[in-house]
Structure formats: structure tokens, C-alpha cells
Coordinates of all heavy atoms in Angstrom, one line a residue:
M181 N 13.5 -4.9 15.6 CA 12.1 -5.2 15.6 C 12.0 -6.5 15.1 O 12.8 -7.0 14.3 CB 11.4 -4.1 14.8 CG 11.5 -4.3 13.3 SD 10.5 -3.1 12.4 CE 11.2 -3.2 10.8
R182 N 10.8 -7.1 15.3 CA 10.5 -8.5 14.8 C 9.1 -8.5 14.1 O 8.2 -7.9 14.6 CB 10.4 -9.6 15.9 CG 10.1 -10.9 15.5 CD 10.1 -11.8 16.6 NE 11.6 -12.1 16.7 CZ 12.2 -13.0 17.6 NH1 11.4 -13.7 18.4 NH2 13.5 -13.2 17.6
I183 N 9.2 -9.1 12.8 CA 8.0 -9.2 12.0 C 7.8 -10.6 11.9 O 8.6 -11.4 11.9 CB 8.0 -8.3 10.8 CG1 9.0 -8.9 9.7 CG2 8.3 -6.9 11.1 CD1 8.9 -8.5 8.3
T184 N 6.5 -10.9 11.6 CA 6.0 -12.3 11.1 C 5.9 -12.2 9.5 O 5.3 -11.3 9.1 CB 4.8 -12.7 11.8 OG1 5.0 -12.8 13.2 CG2 4.3 -14.2 11.4
V185 N 6.4 -13.2 8.9 CA 6.2 -13.3 7.5 C 5.4 -14.5 7.1 O 5.6 -15.6 7.5 CB 7.5 -13.5 6.7 CG1 7.4 -13.5 5.2 CG2 8.5 -12.2 7.1
L186 N 4.2 -14.4 6.4 CA 3.4 -15.4 5.9 C 3.6 -15.7 4.4 O 3.8 -14.8 3.6 CB 2.0 -15.0 6.2 CG 1.5 -14.5 7.5 CD1 0.0 -14.2 7.5 CD2 1.8 -15.7 8.5
C187 N 3.6 -17.1 4.1 CA 3.8 -17.4 2.7 C 2.6 -18.3 2.4 O 2.1 -19.2 3.3 CB 5.0 -18.3 2.6 SG 6.6 -17.5 3.3
F188 N 2.1 -18.4 1.3 CA 1.0 -19.2 0.8 C 1.3 -20.1 -0.3 O 2.2 -19.8 -1.1 CB -0.2 -18.2 0.5 CG -0.6 -17.4 1.6 CD1 -0.1 -16.0 1.7 CD2 -1.5 -17.9 2.6 CE1 -0.5 -15.3 2.8 CE2 -1.9 -17.0 3.6 CZ -1.4 -15.7 3.8
A189 N 0.5 -21.3 -0.4 CA 0.5 -22.2 -1.4 C 1.9 -22.6 -1.9 O 2.7 -23.0 -1.1 CB -0.3 -21.6 -2.6
E190 N 2.2 -22.4 -3.2 CA 3.4 -22.9 -3.8 C 4.7 -22.2 -3.2 O 5.7 -22.9 -2.9 CB 3.4 -22.6 -5.3 CG 4.6 -23.3 -6.0 CD 5.8 -22.4 -6.2 OE1 5.6 -21.1 -6.1 OE2 7.0 -22.9 -6.3
L191 N 4.5 -21.0 -2.7 CA 5.7 -20.4 -2.1 C 5.9 -21.0 -0.8 O 7.2 -21.3 -0.4 CB 5.4 -18.9 -2.0 CG 6.5 -18.0 -1.2 CD1 7.8 -18.1 -2.1 CD2 6.1 -16.7 -1.0
A192 N 5.0 -21.3 0.0 CA 5.1 -22.0 1.3 C 5.8 -23.3 1.0 O 6.8 -23.7 1.8 CB 3.8 -22.2 2.0
E193 N 5.5 -24.0 0.0 CA 6.0 -25.3 -0.2 C 7.5 -25.2 -0.6 O 8.3 -25.9 -0.1 CB 5.3 -26.0 -1.4 CG 3.9 -26.5 -1.0 CD 3.2 -27.1 -2.2 OE1 3.9 -27.7 -3.0 OE2 1.9 -27.2 -2.1
A194 N 7.7 -24.1 -1.5 CA 9.1 -24.0 -1.9 C 10.1 -23.5 -0.7 O 11.3 -23.9 -0.7 CB 9.2 -22.9 -3.0
L195 N 9.5 -22.7 0.2 CA 10.4 -22.3 1.3 C 10.4 -23.4 2.4 O 11.1 -23.2 3.5 CB 9.9 -21.0 1.9 CG 10.4 -19.8 1.0 CD1 9.5 -19.4 -0.1 CD2 10.6 -18.6 1.9
G196 N 9.4 -24.3 2.4 CA 9.4 -25.3 3.4 C 8.7 -24.9 4.7 O 8.7 -25.5 5.8
T197 N 7.9 -23.7 4.6 CA 7.2 -23.2 5.8 C 6.2 -22.2 5.4 O 6.4 -21.5 4.4 CB 8.2 -22.6 6.9 OG1 7.5 -22.3 8.1 CG2 9.0 -21.4 6.2
P198 N 5.1 -22.2 6.0 CA 4.1 -21.2 5.8 C 4.2 -19.9 6.5 O 3.6 -18.9 6.3 CB 2.8 -21.8 6.2 CG 3.2 -22.7 7.3 CD 4.5 -23.2 6.9
E199 N 5.1 -19.9 7.5 CA 5.3 -18.7 8.3 C 6.7 -18.8 9.1 O 7.2 -19.9 9.5 CB 4.3 -18.8 9.4 CG 4.3 -17.7 10.5 CD 3.1 -17.8 11.4 OE1 2.0 -18.2 11.1 OE2 3.4 -17.5 12.7
F200 N 7.3 -17.5 9.3 CA 8.5 -17.4 10.0 C 8.6 -16.1 10.5 O 7.9 -15.2 10.1 CB 9.7 -17.8 9.1 CG 9.9 -17.1 7.9 CD1 10.7 -15.9 7.8 CD2 9.4 -17.6 6.6 CE1 10.8 -15.3 6.5 CE2 9.4 -16.8 5.5 CZ 10.2 -15.7 5.4
T201 N 9.5 -15.9 11.4 CA 9.8 -14.4 11.9 C 11.1 -13.9 11.4 O 12.0 -14.7 11.1 CB 9.8 -14.4 13.4 OG1 10.8 -15.2 13.9 CG2 8.4 -14.8 14.0
L202 N 11.2 -12.6 11.3 CA 12.5 -11.9 10.9 C 12.8 -10.8 12.0 O 11.9 -10.1 12.3 CB 12.3 -11.3 9.5 CG 12.6 -12.0 8.3 CD1 12.3 -11.1 7.1 CD2 14.0 -12.6 8.2
D203 N 14.0 -10.8 12.3 CA 14.5 -9.6 13.2 C 15.1 -8.7 12.3 O 16.1 -9.0 11.5 CB 15.5 -10.1 14.3 CG 14.8 -11.1 15.3 OD1 13.6 -10.6 15.7 OD2 15.3 -12.1 15.7
L204 N 14.7 -7.4 12.3 CA 15.1 -6.3 11.4 C 15.5 -5.0 12.1 O 14.8 -4.9 13.1 CB 14.0 -6.1 10.3 CG 13.7 -7.3 9.3 CD1 12.4 -7.0 8.7 CD2 14.8 -7.7 8.4
P205 N 16.3 -4.2 11.5 CA 16.5 -3.0 12.2 C 15.3 -2.1 12.3 O 14.5 -2.2 11.2 CB 17.7 -2.4 11.4 CG 18.3 -3.4 10.5 CD 17.1 -4.4 10.3
D206 N 15.2 -1.3 13.2 CA 13.9 -0.2 13.2 C 14.1 0.6 11.8 O 15.1 0.9 11.3 CB 14.1 0.7 14.3 CG 13.7 -0.1 15.6 OD1 13.1 -1.0 15.6 OD2 14.0 0.5 16.7
G207 N 12.9 0.9 11.3 CA 12.9 1.7 10.1 C 13.0 0.9 8.8 O 13.1 1.5 7.7
T208 N 13.1 -0.4 8.8 CA 13.2 -1.2 7.7 C 11.9 -1.0 6.8 O 10.8 -1.1 7.3 CB 13.5 -2.7 8.0 OG1 14.7 -2.9 8.7 CG2 13.5 -3.6 6.8
D209 N 12.2 -0.9 5.5 CA 10.9 -0.9 4.5 C 10.7 -2.2 4.0 O 11.5 -3.2 4.2 CB 11.1 0.2 3.6 CG 12.2 0.0 2.5 OD1 12.8 -1.1 2.4 OD2 12.5 1.1 1.9
V210 N 9.6 -2.4 3.2 CA 9.3 -3.7 2.6 C 10.4 -4.2 1.7 O 10.6 -5.4 1.7 CB 7.9 -3.5 1.9 CG1 7.7 -4.8 1.0 CG2 6.8 -3.4 2.9
E211 N 10.9 -3.3 0.9 CA 12.0 -3.7 -0.1 C 13.1 -4.3 0.8 O 13.7 -5.4 0.4 CB 12.5 -2.5 -0.8 CG 13.6 -2.9 -1.8 CD 13.0 -3.5 -3.1 OE1 11.8 -3.4 -3.4 OE2 13.7 -4.1 -3.8
A212 N 13.7 -3.7 1.8 CA 14.7 -4.3 2.6 C 14.3 -5.6 3.3 O 15.2 -6.5 3.4 CB 15.2 -3.2 3.5
A213 N 13.2 -5.6 3.7 CA 12.7 -6.9 4.3 C 12.6 -8.0 3.3 O 12.9 -9.2 3.7 CB 11.2 -6.6 4.9
M214 N 12.2 -7.7 2.1 CA 12.3 -8.7 1.0 C 13.6 -9.1 0.7 O 13.9 -10.3 0.5 CB 11.6 -8.1 -0.2 CG 10.1 -8.2 -0.2 SD 9.4 -9.8 0.3 CE 9.9 -10.8 -1.2
D215 N 14.6 -8.2 0.7 CA 16.1 -8.6 0.5 C 16.4 -9.5 1.7 O 17.1 -10.6 1.4 CB 17.0 -7.3 0.7 CG 16.8 -6.4 -0.4 OD1 16.3 -6.8 -1.5 OD2 17.3 -5.1 -0.3
A216 N 16.0 -9.3 2.9 CA 16.3 -10.3 4.0 C 15.6 -11.6 3.8 O 16.2 -12.7 4.0 CB 15.9 -9.6 5.3
V217 N 14.4 -11.5 3.3 CA 13.7 -12.9 3.1 C 14.5 -13.6 2.2 O 14.8 -14.9 2.3 CB 12.2 -12.7 2.7 CG1 11.7 -13.8 2.1 CG2 11.4 -12.1 3.8
C218 N 14.8 -13.0 1.0 CA 15.5 -13.7 -0.1 C 16.9 -14.2 0.3 O 17.4 -15.3 -0.2 CB 15.7 -12.8 -1.3 SG 14.1 -12.4 -2.1
G219 N 17.6 -13.5 1.3 CA 18.8 -14.0 1.8 C 18.7 -15.2 2.7 O 19.5 -16.0 2.7
H220 N 17.7 -15.3 3.4 CA 17.4 -16.4 4.3 C 16.7 -17.5 3.6 O 16.9 -18.7 4.0 CB 16.5 -16.0 5.5 CG 17.2 -15.2 6.5 ND1 17.2 -13.8 6.4 CD2 17.9 -15.5 7.5 CE1 17.8 -13.3 7.4 NE2 18.3 -14.3 8.2
H221 N 15.9 -17.2 2.6 CA 15.2 -18.3 1.7 C 15.3 -18.0 0.3 O 14.4 -17.4 -0.3 CB 13.6 -18.2 2.2 CG 13.4 -18.4 3.7 ND1 13.4 -19.7 4.1 CD2 13.2 -17.6 4.6 CE1 13.1 -19.5 5.5 NE2 13.1 -18.2 5.8
P222 N 16.5 -18.5 -0.2 CA 16.8 -18.3 -1.7 C 15.6 -18.5 -2.7 O 15.5 -17.9 -3.7 CB 18.1 -19.1 -2.0 CG 18.6 -19.2 -0.6 CD 17.5 -19.3 0.4
P223 N 14.8 -19.6 -2.4 CA 13.6 -19.8 -3.4 C 12.8 -18.6 -3.6 O 12.1 -18.4 -4.6 CB 12.9 -21.1 -2.9 CG 14.0 -21.8 -2.1 CD 14.8 -20.7 -1.5
A224 N 12.7 -17.8 -2.6 CA 11.9 -16.5 -2.7 C 12.4 -15.6 -3.7 O 11.7 -15.0 -4.4 CB 11.7 -15.8 -1.3
A225 N 13.7 -15.6 -3.9 CA 14.3 -14.6 -4.8 C 13.9 -15.0 -6.3 O 13.6 -14.0 -7.1 CB 15.8 -14.8 -4.8
D226 N 13.7 -16.3 -6.7 CA 13.2 -16.7 -7.9 C 11.8 -16.1 -8.3 O 11.4 -16.0 -9.3 CB 13.4 -18.2 -8.1 CG 14.7 -18.7 -8.0 OD1 15.6 -17.9 -8.2 OD2 14.8 -19.9 -7.6
R227 N 11.0 -15.9 -7.2 CA 9.6 -15.6 -7.3 C 9.4 -14.1 -7.0 O 8.2 -13.6 -7.1 CB 8.8 -16.5 -6.3 CG 8.9 -17.9 -6.7 CD 8.5 -18.8 -5.6 NE 8.6 -20.3 -6.0 CZ 9.5 -21.0 -6.1 NH1 10.8 -20.6 -5.8 NH2 9.5 -22.3 -6.4
R228 N 10.3 -13.4 -6.5 CA 10.2 -12.0 -6.0 C 9.4 -11.1 -6.9 O 8.6 -10.4 -6.6 CB 11.6 -11.5 -5.7 CG 11.5 -10.2 -5.0 CD 12.9 -9.6 -4.5 NE 12.8 -8.5 -3.8 CZ 13.7 -7.9 -3.1 NH1 14.9 -8.6 -3.1 NH2 13.6 -6.8 -2.5
G229 N 9.7 -11.1 -8.3 CA 9.1 -10.3 -9.2 C 7.5 -10.5 -9.4 O 6.8 -9.7 -9.9
T230 N 7.0 -11.8 -8.9 CA 5.6 -12.1 -9.1 C 4.8 -12.0 -7.8 O 3.6 -12.3 -7.9 CB 5.6 -13.6 -9.6 OG1 6.0 -14.4 -8.6 CG2 6.3 -13.7 -11.0
L231 N 5.5 -11.6 -6.7 CA 4.8 -11.5 -5.5 C 4.3 -10.1 -5.2 O 4.9 -9.1 -5.4 CB 5.8 -11.8 -4.4 CG 6.4 -13.2 -4.4 CD1 7.5 -13.3 -3.3 CD2 5.4 -14.3 -4.2
A232 N 3.0 -10.1 -4.6 CA 2.4 -8.9 -4.1 C 2.6 -9.0 -2.6 O 2.7 -10.2 -2.0 CB 1.0 -8.9 -4.4
I233 N 2.9 -7.8 -1.9 CA 3.2 -7.8 -0.4 C 2.1 -7.1 0.2 O 1.6 -6.0 -0.2 CB 4.5 -7.1 -0.2 CG1 5.7 -7.8 -1.0 CG2 4.8 -7.1 1.3 CD1 5.9 -9.2 -0.6
A234 N 1.6 -7.7 1.2 CA 0.6 -7.1 2.1 C 1.2 -7.0 3.6 O 2.0 -7.9 4.0 CB -0.7 -7.9 2.2
V235 N 0.8 -5.9 4.2 CA 1.3 -5.7 5.6 C 0.0 -5.3 6.5 O -0.7 -4.6 6.2 CB 2.4 -4.4 5.7 CG1 2.7 -4.3 7.2 CG2 3.6 -4.7 4.9
N236 N -0.1 -6.3 7.4 CA -1.3 -6.2 8.2 C -2.7 -6.2 7.5 O -3.5 -5.4 7.7 CB -1.2 -5.0 9.2 CG 0.0 -5.1 10.1 OD1 0.5 -6.1 10.5 ND2 0.6 -4.0 10.4
E237 N -2.6 -7.1 6.5 CA -3.8 -7.4 5.6 C -4.1 -6.3 4.7 O -5.3 -6.2 4.1 CB -5.1 -7.8 6.6 CG -4.8 -9.0 7.4 CD -6.0 -9.3 8.2 OE1 -7.0 -8.7 8.1 OE2 -5.8 -10.4 8.9
R238 N -3.2 -5.4 4.4 CA -3.4 -4.3 3.4 C -2.2 -4.5 2.4 O -1.1 -4.4 2.8 CB -3.5 -3.0 4.0 CG -4.6 -2.8 4.9 CD -4.7 -1.4 5.3 NE -5.9 -1.3 6.3 CZ -7.0 -0.7 5.9 NH1 -7.2 -0.3 4.6 NH2 -8.0 -0.6 6.8
Y239 N -2.4 -4.4 1.1 CA -1.3 -4.3 0.1 C -0.4 -3.2 0.4 O -0.9 -2.0 0.8 CB -1.9 -4.4 -1.2 CG -2.5 -5.7 -1.7 CD1 -3.7 -5.9 -1.8 CD2 -1.5 -6.7 -1.9 CE1 -4.2 -7.1 -2.2 CE2 -2.0 -8.0 -2.3 CZ -3.3 -8.2 -2.4 OH -3.8 -9.5 -2.7
A240 N 0.8 -3.4 0.4 CA 1.8 -2.2 0.6 C 2.8 -2.1 -0.4 O 3.2 -3.0 -1.2 CB 2.5 -2.8 2.0
S241 N 3.3 -0.9 -0.5 CA 4.3 -0.5 -1.5 C 5.7 -0.9 -0.9 O 5.8 -1.2 0.2 CB 4.3 1.0 -1.8 OG 4.9 1.7 -0.7
T242 N 6.7 -0.9 -1.7 CA 8.0 -1.4 -1.4 C 8.6 -0.3 -0.4 O 9.6 -0.7 0.4 CB 8.9 -1.6 -2.5 OG1 9.0 -0.4 -3.3 CG2 8.6 -2.8 -3.5
T243 N 8.1 0.8 -0.4 CA 8.7 1.8 0.5 C 7.9 1.9 1.8 O 8.4 2.8 2.8 CB 8.7 3.2 -0.3 OG1 7.2 3.6 -0.5 CG2 9.4 3.3 -1.5
H244 N 6.9 1.2 2.1 CA 6.2 1.0 3.3 C 7.2 0.7 4.5 O 7.9 -0.3 4.4 CB 5.1 0.1 3.2 CG 4.3 -0.1 4.5 ND1 3.3 0.8 4.9 CD2 4.4 -1.0 5.5 CE1 2.8 0.5 6.1 NE2 3.5 -0.6 6.5
V245 N 7.3 1.4 5.4 CA 8.1 1.3 6.5 C 7.4 0.3 7.6 O 6.2 0.6 8.0 CB 8.5 2.6 7.3 CG1 9.4 2.2 8.6 CG2 9.2 3.4 6.3
L246 N 8.1 -0.8 7.9 CA 7.6 -1.7 8.8 C 7.7 -1.3 10.3 O 8.6 -0.6 10.7 CB 8.2 -3.1 8.6 CG 7.9 -3.7 7.2 CD1 9.0 -4.7 6.9 CD2 6.6 -4.2 7.0
R247 N 6.8 -1.9 11.2 CA 6.9 -1.7 12.6 C 7.1 -3.0 13.4 O 6.6 -4.0 12.9 CB 5.7 -0.9 13.1 CG 5.6 0.4 12.5 CD 4.4 1.2 13.1 NE 4.3 2.6 12.5 CZ 3.5 3.4 12.8 NH1 2.4 3.1 13.6 NH2 3.4 4.6 12.1
D248 N 7.6 -3.0 14.5 CA 7.7 -4.2 15.4 C 6.2 -4.7 15.5 O 5.3 -4.1 15.7 CB 8.2 -3.8 16.8 CG 8.4 -5.0 17.6 OD1 9.2 -5.9 17.2 OD2 7.9 -5.0 18.7
G249 N 6.2 -6.1 15.2 CA 4.9 -6.9 15.4 C 4.1 -7.0 14.1 O 3.1 -7.6 14.0
D250 N 4.5 -6.2 13.1 CA 3.7 -6.3 11.8 C 3.8 -7.7 11.3 O 4.7 -8.5 11.6 CB 4.4 -5.3 10.7 CG 4.0 -3.9 10.9 OD1 3.1 -3.7 11.7 OD2 4.5 -3.1 10.2
V251 N 2.8 -8.0 10.4 CA 2.7 -9.2 9.7 C 2.7 -9.0 8.2 O 1.9 -8.2 7.7 CB 1.4 -10.0 10.1 CG1 1.3 -11.3 9.2 CG2 1.2 -10.3 11.5
M252 N 3.8 -9.4 7.6 CA 4.0 -9.3 6.2 C 3.7 -10.5 5.3 O 4.3 -11.5 5.7 CB 5.4 -8.8 5.9 CG 5.7 -8.5 4.4 SD 7.4 -7.9 4.1 CE 8.3 -9.4 3.8
A253 N 2.8 -10.4 4.5 CA 2.4 -11.6 3.8 C 2.9 -11.5 2.2 O 2.8 -10.4 1.7 CB 0.8 -11.8 3.7
M254 N 3.3 -12.5 1.7 CA 3.9 -12.5 0.4 C 2.8 -13.4 -0.4 O 2.7 -14.6 -0.2 CB 5.3 -13.3 0.3 CG 6.3 -12.5 1.1 SD 8.0 -13.2 1.0 CE 7.8 -14.8 1.7
V255 N 2.2 -12.7 -1.3 CA 1.1 -13.3 -2.1 C 1.5 -13.5 -3.5 O 1.9 -12.6 -4.2 CB -0.1 -12.4 -2.0 CG1 -1.3 -12.9 -2.7 CG2 -0.5 -12.0 -0.5
G256 N 1.5 -14.8 -3.9 CA 2.0 -15.1 -5.2 C 0.8 -15.0 -6.2 O -0.4 -14.8 -5.8
P257 N 1.0 -15.2 -7.5 CA -0.1 -15.0 -8.5 C -1.0 -16.2 -8.4 O -0.7 -17.3 -7.9 CB 0.7 -15.2 -9.8 CG 2.0 -15.9 -9.5 CD 2.3 -15.5 -8.1
V258 N -2.3 -15.8 -8.5 CA -3.4 -16.8 -8.4 C -4.1 -17.0 -9.7 O -4.4 -15.9 -10.4 CB -4.3 -16.4 -7.3 CG1 -5.5 -17.3 -7.1 CG2 -3.7 -16.3 -6.0
S259 N -4.5 -18.2 -10.2 CA -5.2 -18.3 -11.3 C -6.6 -18.9 -10.8 O -6.7 -19.6 -9.9 CB -4.6 -19.3 -12.4 OG -4.4 -20.6 -11.7
G260 N -7.6 -18.6 -11.7 CA -8.9 -19.0 -11.4 C -9.6 -19.6 -12.5 O -9.1 -19.6 -13.7
G261 N -10.8 -19.9 -12.4 CA -11.5 -20.5 -13.5 C -12.9 -20.6 -13.3 O -13.6 -20.2 -12.3

């Protein structure tokens, strides 16, 4: 299956792209997808503990099983004022 991964702000800068695709085995969950992201984009590993993950515009747990065509967004911490 193929998913699209979105990155925002500082994370997109660190990875050098705001968006990329990943080919993953059927039945892959968010945790395994994050393992793949970190393997392809090592700067993501340094930020992994601070990222929230959304799938198709809804926050998702690490056990959420992805489907072909899903969009997984990695959302970093945001400060406001």
C-alpha cells in the first residue's frame, strides 16, 4: 500500500520536504509507519517523541492500522502567544 506523509514547519525544513510517499505492507500501523519514516528520514527520529500523528485529518493512536491512500500528518509542538 502507499500512503502520503505530510510534515509541517520546522519538521518539513529538517526533512527537506513537506510531503512524501511511503510504500508499506498491508496492515501496517502508525507505529510501524513511523519506524519507516525515521529509517528514511533520520531527523524525524530526533523529534519522534514530540510529534502527534493524524491520519486523514484525525488524530490517531500508534496502533491505528493504515490503509492504501491514507494521508498521515506528523504534527510538531506548537507555541502560541
Side-chain angles (χ1 to χ4, degrees):
M181 77 175 161
R182 178 172 283 182
I183 67 166
T184 300
V185 180
L186 303 178
C187 311
F188 299 96
E190 188 272 335
L191 181 61
E193 289 178 29
L195 278 89
T197 184
E199 180 178 321
F200 57 93
T201 59
L202 275 179
D203 291 317
L204 300 166
D206 288 343
T208 298
D209 63 14
V210 167
E211 182 75 20
M214 285 302 299
D215 291 342
V217 168
C218 292
H220 287 92
H221 300 279
D226 297 336
R227 295 158 178 83
R228 187 172 182 166
T230 65
L231 298 174
I233 304 299
V235 176
N236 302 327
E237 299 181 4
R238 294 184 184 262
Y239 286 106
S241 72
T242 57
T243 59
H244 177 87
V245 176
L246 297 164
R247 295 182 181 181
D248 186 53
D250 279 351
V251 176
M252 184 175 88
M254 299 185 297
V255 183
V258 178
S259 62

